Amino acid sequence: MRVLYSIFVEDTLRYIIRMFPGFLLAALMFLALRPWRVRRLAGQGLSSSLLREAALFLFWLLCGGMAVLTLTPGWFDWLPLLQGLKPVHGPFFSRGSWNLVPGRCFEGGLWQSYMLLGNIIMFVPFGFFSALLWRGYTWKRAFLTGLGITAFIECWQLCVGRAFDIDDIILNTLGVFCGYLLWQGLRRLVPRFVRRFHVMDILELVEPTMEHKDQVMDFKAEMLECGSDFEGCSGLENTETYEEWLDFRGREKRKGWLPSHTYLTIRRSDSRVVGIINYRPSPLSEFVFQYGGHIGYSIRPSERRKGYAKEQLRLTLEKCRAAGEERVLLTCDHQGNPGSEKTILANGGVLENEVEDTPGLGNSGRIRRYWITL
């Protein structure tokens, strides 16, 4: 047991401590470059959440530590400095050795087994974080990432007195691929959580004008084709022309409706209308208070499951707060719209009660009423 502890625990800790200079340098570079990255993403209409930034920071630390561990000569070690000793070292660049015969990693004893497992495990994060943080990462990219990174490391080690080993290339590439498979498993178990690590499209609310005519009519056609309800769309489904729909104030006055504000949710990266949301200021009529609430909204079918509804509602809540609202009411069908319910809860909604759907607005016969305190 003492031998196992020495190899698998003490040696691992020594490797981690040896990586500390790389951790520190990576952290400083990450913090220095972050303002530039944020501006660059914003210029593309994208943003990075705090959760994604935290994961990205960990990945940078890993890369920095691995650079020190794999790209420096075998004698490079700052641990003796902790003991007040002067490190013994030779030249940084010197000729190394090589092994082109696969399978030698399976020869030997306990130490060889430790190195075999280590060469796989320490490259797992490269495949995992790459797939987690960047969209469109496939198994082919995972394979090429592993092969490219480890081939570069092995070639570099020939120049710093270490060894080029074909087994390391095989094992490291396998580690990257295992990391990709780990991400695949996580994505299947908790897909919504995994999507939170991708960059988000920046959305903005704008008042509709004539320049949005084609976009809104396309939005309407897609909603009709998919049989979606036009929640919060200010009667878009019942108007023949865009000009007729755009006359919100006139239509509200003619029909005796409450005055409201209708906004288009625009994706900044391509100016696409991804949603429509309607806000009715207080005080609400008795009917709207019972069954409708302050806010109604829709996301076009092709843009759903991207977190847009949550962000659309958050942006509207900011407008409600600026208008002097202290809390707002939102409603949804008891069973027919779980996505809307999750959106409300994600923005701090608290269930007050359920009421019978007397006017038949939903599908289940019951309506849930939520309050969000601003």
Side-chain angles (χ1 to χ4, degrees):
M1 289 298 296
R2 174 61 186 171
V3 175
L4 287 174
Y5 180 83
S6 176
I7 292 178
F8 288 93
V9 179
E10 293 180 353
D11 286 345
T12 299
L13 289 176
R14 276 196 289 269
Y15 279 126
I16 294 175
I17 295 174
R18 184 179 168 185
M19 297 165 72
F20 271 15
F23 293 157
L24 179 60
L25 181 60
L28 293 175
M29 291 179 62
F30 179 87
L31 295 175
L33 293 175
R34 187 171 185 273
W36 172 79
R37 288 194 307 101
V38 171
R39 289 194 301 269
R40 181 172 175 269
L41 284 174
Q44 299 173 351
L46 302 171
S47 65
S48 182
S49 67
L50 290 178
L51 184 63
R52 183 179 185 274
E53 288 295 297
L56 191 60
F57 179 69
L58 290 177
F59 188 44
W60 274 64
L61 293 184
L62 169 73
C63 292
M66 287 294 292
V68 170
L69 193 63
T70 61
L71 301 181
T72 57
W75 52 260
F76 181 85
D77 192 355
W78 64 282
L79 286 178
L81 296 175
L82 297 179
Q83 304 169 348
L85 302 176
K86 183 178 180 181
V88 178
H89 63 82
F92 190 92
F93 292 103
S94 61
R95 184 179 179 182
S97 59
W98 58 82
N99 167 44
L100 302 178
V101 181
R104 289 188 177 179
C105 61
F106 296 101
E107 302 173 359
L110 196 58
W111 172 254
Q112 202 69 17
S113 299
Y114 171 77
M115 294 302 294
L116 187 152
L117 290 174
N119 272 303
I120 296 176
I121 294 173
M122 68 182 182
F123 277 81
V124 166
F126 285 95
F128 178 77
F129 279 105
S130 296
L132 184 69
L133 296 171
W134 290 283
R135 299 174 181 175
Y137 200 78
T138 63
W139 70 267
K140 293 181 180 179
R141 291 188 178 182
F143 173 77
L144 292 176
T145 298
L147 185 62
I149 291 174
T150 191
F152 170 78
I153 290 174
E154 293 302 308
C155 291
W156 176 266
Q157 288 182 347
L158 270 176
C159 304
V160 291
R162 297 177 67 171
F164 177 101
D165 195 330
I166 192 66
D167 285 335
D168 286 351
I169 293 180
I170 296 172
L171 296 174
N172 296 163
T173 302
L174 177 60
V176 174
F177 194 74
C178 287
Y180 171 77
L181 294 179
L182 180 62
W183 168 79
Q184 282 277 28
L186 186 66
R187 186 181 67 166
R188 293 187 178 184
L189 289 174
V190 283
R192 288 182 176 271
F193 177 71
V194 168
R195 281 197 295 269
R196 293 173 61 189
F197 290 90
H198 288 166
V199 290
M200 277 287 296
D201 294 292
I202 296 178
L203 304 181
E204 52 190 358
L205 301 183
V206 301
E207 294 187 3
T209 63
M210 283 302 299
E211 68 176 283
H212 302 113
K213 177 178 179 178
D214 292 340
Q215 285 264 15
V216 172
M217 298 309 288
D218 184 59
F219 177 98
K220 177 181 178 179
E222 184 176 331
M223 295 284 284
L224 290 172
E225 182 180 355
C226 295
S228 298
D229 293 329
F230 285 75
E231 298 291 340
C233 293
S234 300
L236 178 61
E237 71 277 21
N238 298 320
T239 54
E240 295 294 329
T241 66
Y242 180 76
E243 289 78 7
E244 180 186 356
W245 176 74
L246 198 57
D247 183 24
F248 305 115
R249 296 291 179 265
R251 189 163 59 255
E252 288 170 349
K253 289 181 180 180
R254 290 191 298 272
K255 296 191 176 183
W257 293 348
L258 291 173
S260 65
H261 304 280
T262 299
Y263 301 100
L264 304 179
T265 304
I266 305 290
R267 184 168 57 203
R268 187 182 295 178
S269 60
D270 58 2
S271 300
R272 178 176 171 83
V273 174
V274 299
I276 300 178
I277 193 162
N278 178 261
Y279 157 52
R280 294 176 286 267
S282 298
L284 302 177
S285 67
E286 182 178 350
F287 179 87
V288 174
F289 181 82
Q290 186 76 352
Y291 303 110
H294 289 87
I295 299 173
Y297 54 86
S298 290
I299 297 291
R300 65 192 308 160
S302 62
E303 301 293 350
R304 292 172 184 171
R305 300 183 181 276
K306 296 180 180 180
Y308 290 168
K310 175 184 174 182
E311 179 65 5
Q312 177 181 244
L313 178 56
R314 186 191 70 80
L315 292 171
T316 307
L317 292 176
E318 291 181 358
K319 291 186 176 294
C320 295
R321 187 180 295 109
E325 303 279 3
E326 295 182 356
R327 63 176 190 158
V328 294
L329 173 69
L330 288 95
T331 65
C332 68
D333 188 65
H334 171 65
Q335 293 178 336
N337 197 349
S340 182
E341 184 175 21
K342 290 180 180 179
T343 297
I344 296 170
L345 293 173
N347 278 280
V350 177
L351 179 65
E352 180 183 54
N353 60 1
E354 289 186 7
V355 297
E356 185 178 352
D357 185 10
T358 304
L361 300 176
N363 301 313
S364 67
R366 304 285 295 177
I367 291 179
R368 289 185 170 181
R369 304 171 71 251
Y370 292 87
W371 286 97
I372 298 178
T373 301
L374 303 177

